[in-house]
């Protein structure tokens, strides 16, 4: 396989699973783009690294230089390789970030719950750029195979109303996206909106021994960051 000036040899082989010690802990995760890549039902937040956004200006400059080079000239090949190198760096940074976050989740929790998102459809919406930069699809794929190898469970749940329902009493309150605090007019619960969503995500797949639902984040408490 060739990427720019780099060649890679790819081997496909079967390996034995390496299960981790059993864990009864479960976590819900709510994926985002900015400012957080991921927020958990325990209130932990992982900042979005925004690799593409940070390199966008440098990449645009390199692409402008490429467009000015004439085809067939040695300078054009050099400019093309420079653009490819920047794209490869962004992809490698994103992949490394995904592996590290997924590994920490799998090491800590026996069950990880996330929304069953239609990422293809979302990637055609107004949030497309942020989703591509975050790399949700690649992250969930990495999370799934790491969990399977470790003997963990990954559960997908219906994403409808996860950011509108109160995780304490179940009241549904439609709010614009720019509102980041969830205040329930029914029971008075006050949570960060993404934490509330993550708790709802977890509750939809909860399999506690007594069928109990996870406790809500204490009213008025500030979620921890970065946590993972």
């Amino acid at each position: 396989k060739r990427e720019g000036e780099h060649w890679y040899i790819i081997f496909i082989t079967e390996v034995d699973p390496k299960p981790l010690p059993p864990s009864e802990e479960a976590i819900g995760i709510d994926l985002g783009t900015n400012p957080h890549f991921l927020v958990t039902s325990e209130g932990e937040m992982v900042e979005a690294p925004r690799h593409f956004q940070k390199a966008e200006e440098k990449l645009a400059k390199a692409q402008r230089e490429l467009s000015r080079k004439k085809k067939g000239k040695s300078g054009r090949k050099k400019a093309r390789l420079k653009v490819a190198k920047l794209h490869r760096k962004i992809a490698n940074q994103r992949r490394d970030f995904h592996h590290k976050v997924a590994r920490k989740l799998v090491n800590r929790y026996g069950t990880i719950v996330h929304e069953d998102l239609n990422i293809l459809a979302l990637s055609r919406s107004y949030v497309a750029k942020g989703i591509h930069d975050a790399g949700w699809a690649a992250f969930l794929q990495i999370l799934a195979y790491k969990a399977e190898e470790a003997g963990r469970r990954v559960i997908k749940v219906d994403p409808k109303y996860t950011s509108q329902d109160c995780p304490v009493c179940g009241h549904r309150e439609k709010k614009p996206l720019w509102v980041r605090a969830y205040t329930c007019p029914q029971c008075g619960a006050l949570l960060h909106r993404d934490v509330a969503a993550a708790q709802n995500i977890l509750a939809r797949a909860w399999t506690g021994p007594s069928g109990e639902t996870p406790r809500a984040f204490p009213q008025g408490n500030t979620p921890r960051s970065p946590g993972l």
Side-chain angles (χ1 to χ4, degrees):
K1 178 183 176 181
R2 183 178 180 180
E3 290 185 5
E5 291 184 310
H6 296 259
W7 286 90
Y8 298 88
I9 299 175
I10 300 173
F11 295 95
I12 299 176
T13 183
E14 292 185 6
V15 295
D16 294 327
K18 299 176 182 177
L20 293 171
S23 171
E24 297 298 321
E25 291 191 72
I27 195 77
I29 60 173
D30 181 49
L31 296 178
T33 58
N34 186 17
H36 302 112
F37 170 75
L38 177 153
V39 175
T40 78
S41 52
E42 294 181 351
E44 298 179 357
M45 298 180 175
V46 178
E47 185 179 354
R50 301 190 291 280
H51 296 116
F52 179 82
Q53 183 179 328
K54 290 177 180 177
E56 195 169 13
E57 187 175 334
K58 187 181 292 186
L59 185 58
K61 181 181 177 181
Q63 288 173 329
R64 285 195 300 269
E65 291 175 357
L66 173 60
S67 66
R68 288 195 292 265
K69 303 295 182 181
K70 292 183 179 180
K71 290 184 178 180
K73 300 293 183 179
S74 60
R76 182 176 176 84
K77 181 181 179 181
K78 186 177 180 180
R80 180 172 53 80
L81 290 174
K82 184 178 180 180
V83 171
K85 184 178 180 180
L86 285 170
H87 277 294
R88 185 169 61 252
K89 181 180 179 180
I90 294 167
N92 288 341
Q93 288 176 324
R94 186 183 294 124
R95 188 182 304 113
D96 179 67
F97 171 75
H98 288 163
H99 275 282
K100 287 176 178 176
V101 174
R103 171 52 57 198
K104 289 177 180 178
L105 286 169
V106 168
N107 283 351
R108 287 177 60 178
Y109 301 101
T111 301
I112 303 163
V113 189
H114 67 81
E115 293 174 309
D116 187 9
L117 298 168
N118 186 344
I119 296 176
L120 182 60
L122 288 170
S123 65
R124 295 169 181 162
S125 69
Y126 69 97
V127 292
K129 192 173 182 180
I131 290 173
H132 285 306
D133 198 357
W136 287 356
F139 169 71
L140 292 177
Q141 186 177 33
I142 290 169
L143 178 65
Y145 90 71
K146 284 187 183 296
E148 183 178 5
E149 183 183 53
R152 306 305 205 196
R153 289 193 306 169
V154 173
I155 300 174
K156 302 177 185 179
V157 298
D158 189 346
K160 290 180 182 177
Y161 309 116
T162 54
S163 64
Q164 298 179 26
D165 291 353
C166 174
V168 178
C169 69
H171 173 75
R172 184 165 295 164
E173 182 82 6
K174 190 172 183 179
K175 298 177 184 293
L177 288 175
W178 56 266
V179 175
R180 304 317 301 157
Y182 187 95
T183 305
C184 180
Q186 192 78 17
C187 69
L190 175 62
L191 306 93
H192 187 285
R193 184 172 183 167
D194 295 338
V195 176
Q199 290 184 359
N200 285 325
I201 290 166
L202 176 60
R204 292 185 181 187
W206 188 249
T207 53
S210 304
E212 69 271 20
T213 55
R215 290 180 299 173
F217 217 70
Q219 187 169 337
N221 203 353
T222 302
R224 298 188 301 277
S225 176
L228 290 177

